[in-house]
Amino acid sequence: MDAPNALETARGQVRAACERLKLPPDVYEILKEPLRVLEVNIPIRMDDGRIRNFRAFRAQHNDALGPTKGGIRYHPDVTLEEVKALAMWMTFKNALANITYGGAKGGVICDPRSLSEGELERLSRGYIAAIARIVGPEQDIPAPDVYTNPKIMAWMMDEFSRLRGFYTPGVITGKPTTIGGSAGRDTATARGCAFVVREVARERGVELRGARVAVQGFGNAGAHVVAFLSEMGARVIAISDSRGAVFAEDGISPGAAIRHKQETGSVVDLEGTRPIGQEELLTLPCEILVPAALENAINADVAHRVRARIVAEAANGPTTPQADEILFRRGVTVIPDILANAGGVVVSYFEWVQNLQHYYWSEDEVTRRLEQVLVRAATNVLRLAAMDQISLRDAAYVIAVKRVADAMRDRGWY
């Protein structure tokens, strides 16, 4: 089982794009490390009165194109290397979408499920206070990520505003709509993924109406991907969550699956389905496979057995580099994560723009603009991949790295 180091994977992708573009070695030297990393310890008083120290990070990879942007994750397994890699991937996700952001990422080593709401609020306010000197609407704009949500973003925005002395909604995106959040933000990642799948399927000659779809992961992104692809006429035959996977040849109703998950906490035992193995879901005969859960879910062993025609990476890093090569050789089209799941950061960008203007758009307007951005990005990637006979991932990185390198050159960095 190949489980690559995330930072080395990210560096390898960037190095390959720099070499393909024949960029000076100085460009890769700049891009292989974040411009800035802040590591902090956050002392928090727990409900029982004791003080507990939480270790946390914020990495700002590159700001050649604009203020840095990226989520904050709360997880017991957060590492500095992981945060650096995720910040690097954010730089190129933003560049590929052609939005004026660089990349950043944050992480707090904790298990949020073991914290009371009061402890979680104190930790969230403590984190933003600890990194306040390097974030702000003109500098670095955090957002939700793993185990963080709009409520946590609201606490952070409020704490930053308190420290600054005035209301500053543009410091954070992914907020509740009552305090400057954007309409359509909660479904943006999934909606963007569906738009990109539609474009790639059309170019690859895959008829979306009636296409069989398997989705690994039934969280916010996975559940909404199921709904949006079903609206486009696809037939979702398998879904899964951390407790198990289910299959129904005739298709799964998105509404029924969402209700069942809300009532029972899992998709397991959904009426009209039968249980299957988690790995079996990844290797079902289908037209479209959407890994929307785990990193490295598709390894080399699984890649040899994938029977989908298109793999759309709604999760970050679900395909290992070795598996990626195998799928490309086998003729399976992989839509890379920096394209397939870019909808979330695009609408985060829209939220930031609305905050700066103090003028807010309807959900229809947000959806229309999201579709424009991602259709253009997908078209550019498909065109370059066809012209150079390379994978969509390689094409995406060539486009993204070139945009960042051009900005660095024009700013006099090399």
PDB file of all heavy atoms in Angstrom, residues 57-91:
ATOM      1  N   PHE A  57      -0.911  25.766  13.796  1.00  0.00           N
ATOM      2  CA  PHE A  57      -0.077  26.284  12.716  1.00  0.00           C
ATOM      3  C   PHE A  57      -0.904  27.171  11.772  1.00  0.00           C
ATOM      4  O   PHE A  57      -2.115  27.010  11.657  1.00  0.00           O
ATOM      5  CB  PHE A  57       0.497  25.135  11.864  1.00  0.00           C
ATOM      6  CG  PHE A  57       1.083  24.012  12.655  1.00  0.00           C
ATOM      7  CD1 PHE A  57       0.342  22.862  12.908  1.00  0.00           C
ATOM      8  CD2 PHE A  57       2.375  24.087  13.162  1.00  0.00           C
ATOM      9  CE1 PHE A  57       0.866  21.811  13.634  1.00  0.00           C
ATOM     10  CE2 PHE A  57       2.914  23.041  13.895  1.00  0.00           C
ATOM     11  CZ  PHE A  57       2.160  21.900  14.132  1.00  0.00           C
ATOM     12  N   ARG A  58      -0.205  28.069  11.082  1.00  0.00           N
ATOM     13  CA  ARG A  58      -0.742  28.746   9.903  1.00  0.00           C
ATOM     14  C   ARG A  58       0.397  28.874   8.914  1.00  0.00           C
ATOM     15  O   ARG A  58       1.450  29.448   9.224  1.00  0.00           O
ATOM     16  CB  ARG A  58      -1.306  30.133  10.248  1.00  0.00           C
ATOM     17  CG  ARG A  58      -2.003  30.842   9.064  1.00  0.00           C
ATOM     18  CD  ARG A  58      -3.290  30.160   8.662  1.00  0.00           C
ATOM     19  NE  ARG A  58      -3.962  30.820   7.545  1.00  0.00           N
ATOM     20  CZ  ARG A  58      -5.050  30.350   6.937  1.00  0.00           C
ATOM     21  NH1 ARG A  58      -5.598  29.200   7.342  1.00  0.00           N
ATOM     22  NH2 ARG A  58      -5.623  30.999   5.937  1.00  0.00           N
ATOM     23  N   ALA A  59       0.208  28.318   7.722  1.00  0.00           N
ATOM     24  CA  ALA A  59       1.213  28.385   6.658  1.00  0.00           C
ATOM     25  C   ALA A  59       0.669  29.239   5.518  1.00  0.00           C
ATOM     26  O   ALA A  59      -0.452  29.026   5.064  1.00  0.00           O
ATOM     27  CB  ALA A  59       1.549  26.985   6.154  1.00  0.00           C
ATOM     28  N   GLN A  60       1.472  30.198   5.081  1.00  0.00           N
ATOM     29  CA  GLN A  60       1.140  31.040   3.925  1.00  0.00           C
ATOM     30  C   GLN A  60       2.149  30.713   2.831  1.00  0.00           C
ATOM     31  O   GLN A  60       3.324  31.078   2.927  1.00  0.00           O
ATOM     32  CB  GLN A  60       1.184  32.515   4.321  1.00  0.00           C
ATOM     33  CG  GLN A  60       0.142  32.863   5.379  1.00  0.00           C
ATOM     34  CD  GLN A  60       0.343  34.225   6.006  1.00  0.00           C
ATOM     35  OE1 GLN A  60       1.397  34.829   5.896  1.00  0.00           O
ATOM     36  NE2 GLN A  60      -0.683  34.721   6.689  1.00  0.00           N
ATOM     37  N   HIS A  61       1.678  30.004   1.812  1.00  0.00           N
ATOM     38  CA  HIS A  61       2.604  29.463   0.832  1.00  0.00           C
ATOM     39  C   HIS A  61       3.128  30.498  -0.149  1.00  0.00           C
ATOM     40  O   HIS A  61       4.332  30.616  -0.368  1.00  0.00           O
ATOM     41  CB  HIS A  61       1.956  28.311   0.053  1.00  0.00           C
ATOM     42  CG  HIS A  61       2.815  27.810  -1.066  1.00  0.00           C
ATOM     43  ND1 HIS A  61       2.528  28.054  -2.396  1.00  0.00           N
ATOM     44  CD2 HIS A  61       3.987  27.125  -1.050  1.00  0.00           C
ATOM     45  CE1 HIS A  61       3.475  27.517  -3.145  1.00  0.00           C
ATOM     46  NE2 HIS A  61       4.358  26.948  -2.362  1.00  0.00           N
ATOM     47  N   ASN A  62       2.223  31.261  -0.782  1.00  0.00           N
ATOM     48  CA  ASN A  62       2.646  32.190  -1.826  1.00  0.00           C
ATOM     49  C   ASN A  62       1.585  33.262  -1.998  1.00  0.00           C
ATOM     50  O   ASN A  62       0.392  32.950  -2.034  1.00  0.00           O
ATOM     51  CB  ASN A  62       2.847  31.438  -3.149  1.00  0.00           C
ATOM     52  CG  ASN A  62       3.480  32.305  -4.232  1.00  0.00           C
ATOM     53  OD1 ASN A  62       2.807  33.126  -4.833  1.00  0.00           O
ATOM     54  ND2 ASN A  62       4.768  32.119  -4.466  1.00  0.00           N
ATOM     55  N   ASP A  63       2.004  34.521  -2.086  1.00  0.00           N
ATOM     56  CA  ASP A  63       1.029  35.610  -2.249  1.00  0.00           C
ATOM     57  C   ASP A  63       1.302  36.448  -3.493  1.00  0.00           C
ATOM     58  O   ASP A  63       0.951  37.621  -3.551  1.00  0.00           O
ATOM     59  CB  ASP A  63       0.976  36.490  -0.995  1.00  0.00           C
ATOM     60  CG  ASP A  63       2.312  37.155  -0.680  1.00  0.00           C
ATOM     61  OD1 ASP A  63       3.283  36.981  -1.456  1.00  0.00           O
ATOM     62  OD2 ASP A  63       2.399  37.859   0.346  1.00  0.00           O
ATOM     63  N   ALA A  64       1.925  35.834  -4.515  1.00  0.00           N
ATOM     64  CA  ALA A  64       2.221  36.578  -5.741  1.00  0.00           C
ATOM     65  C   ALA A  64       0.959  37.078  -6.433  1.00  0.00           C
ATOM     66  O   ALA A  64       0.941  38.166  -7.012  1.00  0.00           O
ATOM     67  CB  ALA A  64       3.032  35.709  -6.703  1.00  0.00           C
ATOM     68  N   LEU A  65      -0.111  36.304  -6.370  1.00  0.00           N
ATOM     69  CA  LEU A  65      -1.357  36.668  -7.052  1.00  0.00           C
ATOM     70  C   LEU A  65      -2.305  37.488  -6.185  1.00  0.00           C
ATOM     71  O   LEU A  65      -3.261  38.072  -6.701  1.00  0.00           O
ATOM     72  CB  LEU A  65      -2.088  35.406  -7.531  1.00  0.00           C
ATOM     73  CG  LEU A  65      -1.457  34.685  -8.730  1.00  0.00           C
ATOM     74  CD1 LEU A  65      -2.098  33.323  -8.925  1.00  0.00           C
ATOM     75  CD2 LEU A  65      -1.612  35.521  -9.999  1.00  0.00           C
ATOM     76  N   GLY A  66      -2.061  37.515  -4.879  1.00  0.00           N
ATOM     77  CA  GLY A  66      -2.955  38.256  -3.989  1.00  0.00           C
ATOM     78  C   GLY A  66      -2.886  37.718  -2.586  1.00  0.00           C
ATOM     79  O   GLY A  66      -2.035  36.869  -2.260  1.00  0.00           O
ATOM     80  N   PRO A  67      -3.774  38.176  -1.696  1.00  0.00           N
ATOM     81  CA  PRO A  67      -3.786  37.685  -0.309  1.00  0.00           C
ATOM     82  C   PRO A  67      -3.902  36.164  -0.280  1.00  0.00           C
ATOM     83  O   PRO A  67      -4.506  35.553  -1.167  1.00  0.00           O
ATOM     84  CB  PRO A  67      -5.045  38.328   0.289  1.00  0.00           C
ATOM     85  CG  PRO A  67      -5.385  39.455  -0.619  1.00  0.00           C
ATOM     86  CD  PRO A  67      -4.887  39.101  -1.974  1.00  0.00           C
ATOM     87  N   THR A  68      -3.309  35.550   0.721  1.00  0.00           N
ATOM     88  CA  THR A  68      -3.384  34.094   0.806  1.00  0.00           C
ATOM     89  C   THR A  68      -4.756  33.658   1.331  1.00  0.00           C
ATOM     90  O   THR A  68      -5.464  34.413   1.982  1.00  0.00           O
ATOM     91  CB  THR A  68      -2.263  33.529   1.697  1.00  0.00           C
ATOM     92  OG1 THR A  68      -2.271  34.200   2.950  1.00  0.00           O
ATOM     93  CG2 THR A  68      -0.918  33.712   1.026  1.00  0.00           C
ATOM     94  N   LYS A  69      -5.116  32.412   1.009  1.00  0.00           N
ATOM     95  CA  LYS A  69      -6.467  31.917   1.305  1.00  0.00           C
ATOM     96  C   LYS A  69      -6.408  30.430   1.559  1.00  0.00           C
ATOM     97  O   LYS A  69      -5.752  29.697   0.818  1.00  0.00           O
ATOM     98  CB  LYS A  69      -7.386  32.186   0.100  1.00  0.00           C
ATOM     99  CG  LYS A  69      -8.830  31.729   0.331  1.00  0.00           C
ATOM    100  CD  LYS A  69      -9.584  32.810   1.053  1.00  0.00           C
ATOM    101  CE  LYS A  69     -11.012  32.441   1.354  1.00  0.00           C
ATOM    102  NZ  LYS A  69     -11.147  31.585   2.549  1.00  0.00           N
ATOM    103  N   GLY A  70      -7.084  29.975   2.590  1.00  0.00           N
ATOM    104  CA  GLY A  70      -7.148  28.545   2.845  1.00  0.00           C
ATOM    105  C   GLY A  70      -7.796  28.248   4.180  1.00  0.00           C
ATOM    106  O   GLY A  70      -7.876  29.102   5.058  1.00  0.00           O
ATOM    107  N   GLY A  71      -8.245  27.020   4.336  1.00  0.00           N
ATOM    108  CA  GLY A  71      -9.036  26.632   5.492  1.00  0.00           C
ATOM    109  C   GLY A  71      -8.231  26.404   6.755  1.00  0.00           C
ATOM    110  O   GLY A  71      -6.997  26.433   6.757  1.00  0.00           O
ATOM    111  N   ILE A  72      -8.966  26.167   7.825  1.00  0.00           N
ATOM    112  CA  ILE A  72      -8.411  25.807   9.135  1.00  0.00           C
ATOM    113  C   ILE A  72      -9.026  24.469   9.528  1.00  0.00           C
ATOM    114  O   ILE A  72     -10.251  24.343   9.574  1.00  0.00           O
ATOM    115  CB  ILE A  72      -8.764  26.851  10.213  1.00  0.00           C
ATOM    116  CG1 ILE A  72      -8.194  28.219   9.846  1.00  0.00           C
ATOM    117  CG2 ILE A  72      -8.265  26.398  11.583  1.00  0.00           C
ATOM    118  CD1 ILE A  72      -8.804  29.352  10.659  1.00  0.00           C
ATOM    119  N   ARG A  73      -8.174  23.485   9.777  1.00  0.00           N
ATOM    120  CA  ARG A  73      -8.706  22.182  10.189  1.00  0.00           C
ATOM    121  C   ARG A  73      -8.393  21.898  11.652  1.00  0.00           C
ATOM    122  O   ARG A  73      -7.325  22.262  12.149  1.00  0.00           O
ATOM    123  CB  ARG A  73      -8.205  21.051   9.287  1.00  0.00           C
ATOM    124  CG  ARG A  73      -6.716  20.861   9.190  1.00  0.00           C
ATOM    125  CD  ARG A  73      -6.350  19.667   8.292  1.00  0.00           C
ATOM    126  NE  ARG A  73      -7.025  19.710   7.003  1.00  0.00           N
ATOM    127  CZ  ARG A  73      -6.986  18.736   6.098  1.00  0.00           C
ATOM    128  NH1 ARG A  73      -6.292  17.643   6.337  1.00  0.00           N
ATOM    129  NH2 ARG A  73      -7.632  18.840   4.957  1.00  0.00           N
ATOM    130  N   TYR A  74      -9.350  21.273  12.326  1.00  0.00           N
ATOM    131  CA  TYR A  74      -9.169  20.799  13.699  1.00  0.00           C
ATOM    132  C   TYR A  74      -9.103  19.278  13.625  1.00  0.00           C
ATOM    133  O   TYR A  74     -10.090  18.626  13.265  1.00  0.00           O
ATOM    134  CB  TYR A  74     -10.360  21.190  14.578  1.00  0.00           C
ATOM    135  CG  TYR A  74     -10.456  22.644  14.969  1.00  0.00           C
ATOM    136  CD1 TYR A  74      -9.537  23.591  14.542  1.00  0.00           C
ATOM    137  CD2 TYR A  74     -11.502  23.069  15.783  1.00  0.00           C
ATOM    138  CE1 TYR A  74      -9.646  24.920  14.918  1.00  0.00           C
ATOM    139  CE2 TYR A  74     -11.625  24.399  16.171  1.00  0.00           C
ATOM    140  CZ  TYR A  74     -10.696  25.327  15.735  1.00  0.00           C
ATOM    141  OH  TYR A  74     -10.817  26.639  16.111  1.00  0.00           O
ATOM    142  N   HIS A  75      -7.954  18.700  13.985  1.00  0.00           N
ATOM    143  CA  HIS A  75      -7.839  17.247  13.886  1.00  0.00           C
ATOM    144  C   HIS A  75      -6.674  16.784  14.758  1.00  0.00           C
ATOM    145  O   HIS A  75      -5.643  17.461  14.827  1.00  0.00           O
ATOM    146  CB  HIS A  75      -7.600  16.826  12.431  1.00  0.00           C
ATOM    147  CG  HIS A  75      -7.889  15.381  12.162  1.00  0.00           C
ATOM    148  ND1 HIS A  75      -7.000  14.369  12.469  1.00  0.00           N
ATOM    149  CD2 HIS A  75      -8.979  14.759  11.626  1.00  0.00           C
ATOM    150  CE1 HIS A  75      -7.525  13.205  12.135  1.00  0.00           C
ATOM    151  NE2 HIS A  75      -8.722  13.406  11.628  1.00  0.00           N
ATOM    152  N   PRO A  76      -6.805  15.627  15.412  1.00  0.00           N
ATOM    153  CA  PRO A  76      -5.703  15.150  16.257  1.00  0.00           C
ATOM    154  C   PRO A  76      -4.442  14.810  15.479  1.00  0.00           C
ATOM    155  O   PRO A  76      -3.346  14.769  16.054  1.00  0.00           O
ATOM    156  CB  PRO A  76      -6.288  13.914  16.950  1.00  0.00           C
ATOM    157  CG  PRO A  76      -7.529  13.556  16.219  1.00  0.00           C
ATOM    158  CD  PRO A  76      -8.021  14.799  15.548  1.00  0.00           C
ATOM    159  N   ASP A  77      -4.565  14.549  14.175  1.00  0.00           N
ATOM    160  CA  ASP A  77      -3.411  14.125  13.379  1.00  0.00           C
ATOM    161  C   ASP A  77      -2.808  15.249  12.540  1.00  0.00           C
ATOM    162  O   ASP A  77      -1.989  14.990  11.655  1.00  0.00           O
ATOM    163  CB  ASP A  77      -3.803  12.964  12.459  1.00  0.00           C
ATOM    164  CG  ASP A  77      -4.251  11.735  13.247  1.00  0.00           C
ATOM    165  OD1 ASP A  77      -3.737  11.540  14.363  1.00  0.00           O
ATOM    166  OD2 ASP A  77      -5.118  10.996  12.748  1.00  0.00           O
ATOM    167  N   VAL A  78      -3.207  16.492  12.769  1.00  0.00           N
ATOM    168  CA  VAL A  78      -2.624  17.616  12.032  1.00  0.00           C
ATOM    169  C   VAL A  78      -1.111  17.655  12.260  1.00  0.00           C
ATOM    170  O   VAL A  78      -0.638  17.491  13.384  1.00  0.00           O
ATOM    171  CB  VAL A  78      -3.245  18.956  12.491  1.00  0.00           C
ATOM    172  CG1 VAL A  78      -2.416  20.146  12.012  1.00  0.00           C
ATOM    173  CG2 VAL A  78      -4.665  19.095  11.958  1.00  0.00           C
ATOM    174  N   THR A  79      -0.353  17.858  11.178  1.00  0.00           N
ATOM    175  CA  THR A  79       1.104  18.030  11.279  1.00  0.00           C
ATOM    176  C   THR A  79       1.518  19.266  10.504  1.00  0.00           C
ATOM    177  O   THR A  79       0.787  19.727   9.607  1.00  0.00           O
ATOM    178  CB  THR A  79       1.871  16.828  10.695  1.00  0.00           C
ATOM    179  OG1 THR A  79       1.646  16.767   9.279  1.00  0.00           O
ATOM    180  CG2 THR A  79       1.442  15.521  11.351  1.00  0.00           C
ATOM    181  N   LEU A  80       2.706  19.780  10.821  1.00  0.00           N
ATOM    182  CA  LEU A  80       3.213  20.944  10.100  1.00  0.00           C
ATOM    183  C   LEU A  80       3.422  20.619   8.626  1.00  0.00           C
ATOM    184  O   LEU A  80       3.103  21.433   7.754  1.00  0.00           O
ATOM    185  CB  LEU A  80       4.523  21.419  10.732  1.00  0.00           C
ATOM    186  CG  LEU A  80       5.214  22.614  10.048  1.00  0.00           C
ATOM    187  CD1 LEU A  80       4.282  23.812   9.958  1.00  0.00           C
ATOM    188  CD2 LEU A  80       6.494  22.971  10.791  1.00  0.00           C
ATOM    189  N   GLU A  81       3.938  19.423   8.322  1.00  0.00           N
ATOM    190  CA  GLU A  81       4.159  19.042   6.921  1.00  0.00           C
ATOM    191  C   GLU A  81       2.842  19.010   6.148  1.00  0.00           C
ATOM    192  O   GLU A  81       2.772  19.457   5.006  1.00  0.00           O
ATOM    193  CB  GLU A  81       4.853  17.677   6.835  1.00  0.00           C
ATOM    194  CG  GLU A  81       6.348  17.743   7.018  1.00  0.00           C
ATOM    195  CD  GLU A  81       7.049  16.586   6.327  1.00  0.00           C
ATOM    196  OE1 GLU A  81       6.403  15.546   6.073  1.00  0.00           O
ATOM    197  OE2 GLU A  81       8.252  16.727   6.019  1.00  0.00           O
ATOM    198  N   GLU A  82       1.799  18.462   6.764  1.00  0.00           N
ATOM    199  CA  GLU A  82       0.493  18.410   6.108  1.00  0.00           C
ATOM    200  C   GLU A  82      -0.016  19.820   5.818  1.00  0.00           C
ATOM    201  O   GLU A  82      -0.513  20.097   4.717  1.00  0.00           O
ATOM    202  CB  GLU A  82      -0.506  17.673   6.997  1.00  0.00           C
ATOM    203  CG  GLU A  82      -1.927  17.644   6.442  1.00  0.00           C
ATOM    204  CD  GLU A  82      -2.955  17.185   7.470  1.00  0.00           C
ATOM    205  OE1 GLU A  82      -2.887  17.637   8.629  1.00  0.00           O
ATOM    206  OE2 GLU A  82      -3.825  16.389   7.095  1.00  0.00           O
ATOM    207  N   VAL A  83       0.106  20.713   6.790  1.00  0.00           N
ATOM    208  CA  VAL A  83      -0.372  22.084   6.612  1.00  0.00           C
ATOM    209  C   VAL A  83       0.403  22.779   5.498  1.00  0.00           C
ATOM    210  O   VAL A  83      -0.167  23.493   4.663  1.00  0.00           O
ATOM    211  CB  VAL A  83      -0.277  22.861   7.945  1.00  0.00           C
ATOM    212  CG1 VAL A  83      -0.538  24.345   7.739  1.00  0.00           C
ATOM    213  CG2 VAL A  83      -1.279  22.295   8.950  1.00  0.00           C
ATOM    214  N   LYS A  84       1.712  22.563   5.427  1.00  0.00           N
ATOM    215  CA  LYS A  84       2.519  23.132   4.342  1.00  0.00           C
ATOM    216  C   LYS A  84       2.046  22.631   2.976  1.00  0.00           C
ATOM    217  O   LYS A  84       1.913  23.405   2.014  1.00  0.00           O
ATOM    218  CB  LYS A  84       3.988  22.757   4.526  1.00  0.00           C
ATOM    219  CG  LYS A  84       4.743  23.523   5.588  1.00  0.00           C
ATOM    220  CD  LYS A  84       6.203  23.055   5.578  1.00  0.00           C
ATOM    221  CE  LYS A  84       7.073  23.850   6.520  1.00  0.00           C
ATOM    222  NZ  LYS A  84       8.489  23.396   6.438  1.00  0.00           N
ATOM    223  N   ALA A  85       1.803  21.315   2.888  1.00  0.00           N
ATOM    224  CA  ALA A  85       1.358  20.740   1.613  1.00  0.00           C
ATOM    225  C   ALA A  85       0.002  21.293   1.207  1.00  0.00           C
ATOM    226  O   ALA A  85      -0.210  21.661   0.043  1.00  0.00           O
ATOM    227  CB  ALA A  85       1.290  19.212   1.731  1.00  0.00           C
ATOM    228  N   LEU A  86      -0.918  21.375   2.151  1.00  0.00           N
ATOM    229  CA  LEU A  86      -2.258  21.879   1.849  1.00  0.00           C
ATOM    230  C   LEU A  86      -2.217  23.350   1.432  1.00  0.00           C
ATOM    231  O   LEU A  86      -2.968  23.772   0.546  1.00  0.00           O
ATOM    232  CB  LEU A  86      -3.174  21.678   3.059  1.00  0.00           C
ATOM    233  CG  LEU A  86      -3.517  20.222   3.388  1.00  0.00           C
ATOM    234  CD1 LEU A  86      -4.089  20.104   4.796  1.00  0.00           C
ATOM    235  CD2 LEU A  86      -4.481  19.637   2.365  1.00  0.00           C
ATOM    236  N   ALA A  87      -1.325  24.124   2.043  1.00  0.00           N
ATOM    237  CA  ALA A  87      -1.167  25.526   1.649  1.00  0.00           C
ATOM    238  C   ALA A  87      -0.653  25.623   0.219  1.00  0.00           C
ATOM    239  O   ALA A  87      -1.109  26.467  -0.569  1.00  0.00           O
ATOM    240  CB  ALA A  87      -0.207  26.236   2.607  1.00  0.00           C
ATOM    241  N   MET A  88       0.287  24.750  -0.129  1.00  0.00           N
ATOM    242  CA  MET A  88       0.827  24.736  -1.487  1.00  0.00           C
ATOM    243  C   MET A  88      -0.270  24.389  -2.494  1.00  0.00           C
ATOM    244  O   MET A  88      -0.422  25.044  -3.534  1.00  0.00           O
ATOM    245  CB  MET A  88       1.968  23.720  -1.574  1.00  0.00           C
ATOM    246  CG  MET A  88       2.757  23.778  -2.875  1.00  0.00           C
ATOM    247  SD  MET A  88       4.113  22.563  -2.944  1.00  0.00           S
ATOM    248  CE  MET A  88       5.136  23.103  -1.577  1.00  0.00           C
ATOM    249  N   TRP A  89      -1.065  23.359  -2.183  1.00  0.00           N
ATOM    250  CA  TRP A  89      -2.156  22.979  -3.087  1.00  0.00           C
ATOM    251  C   TRP A  89      -3.170  24.113  -3.242  1.00  0.00           C
ATOM    252  O   TRP A  89      -3.722  24.317  -4.322  1.00  0.00           O
ATOM    253  CB  TRP A  89      -2.839  21.707  -2.570  1.00  0.00           C
ATOM    254  CG  TRP A  89      -2.097  20.457  -2.917  1.00  0.00           C
ATOM    255  CD1 TRP A  89      -1.434  20.191  -4.079  1.00  0.00           C
ATOM    256  CD2 TRP A  89      -1.953  19.283  -2.108  1.00  0.00           C
ATOM    257  NE1 TRP A  89      -0.881  18.932  -4.035  1.00  0.00           N
ATOM    258  CE2 TRP A  89      -1.179  18.349  -2.842  1.00  0.00           C
ATOM    259  CE3 TRP A  89      -2.402  18.937  -0.833  1.00  0.00           C
ATOM    260  CZ2 TRP A  89      -0.845  17.085  -2.352  1.00  0.00           C
ATOM    261  CZ3 TRP A  89      -2.066  17.675  -0.344  1.00  0.00           C
ATOM    262  CH2 TRP A  89      -1.301  16.762  -1.085  1.00  0.00           C
ATOM    263  N   MET A  90      -3.396  24.874  -2.159  1.00  0.00           N
ATOM    264  CA  MET A  90      -4.334  25.998  -2.258  1.00  0.00           C
ATOM    265  C   MET A  90      -3.826  27.067  -3.221  1.00  0.00           C
ATOM    266  O   MET A  90      -4.610  27.671  -3.956  1.00  0.00           O
ATOM    267  CB  MET A  90      -4.580  26.615  -0.883  1.00  0.00           C
ATOM    268  CG  MET A  90      -5.518  25.826   0.009  1.00  0.00           C
ATOM    269  SD  MET A  90      -7.149  25.512  -0.705  1.00  0.00           S
ATOM    270  CE  MET A  90      -7.708  27.174  -1.052  1.00  0.00           C
ATOM    271  N   THR A  91      -2.512  27.317  -3.229  1.00  0.00           N
ATOM    272  CA  THR A  91      -1.957  28.296  -4.175  1.00  0.00           C
ATOM    273  C   THR A  91      -2.359  27.945  -5.600  1.00  0.00           C
ATOM    274  O   THR A  91      -2.807  28.807  -6.369  1.00  0.00           O
ATOM    275  CB  THR A  91      -0.423  28.335  -4.066  1.00  0.00           C
ATOM    276  OG1 THR A  91      -0.057  28.863  -2.793  1.00  0.00           O
ATOM    277  CG2 THR A  91       0.195  29.201  -5.156  1.00  0.00           C
TER     278      THR A  91
END
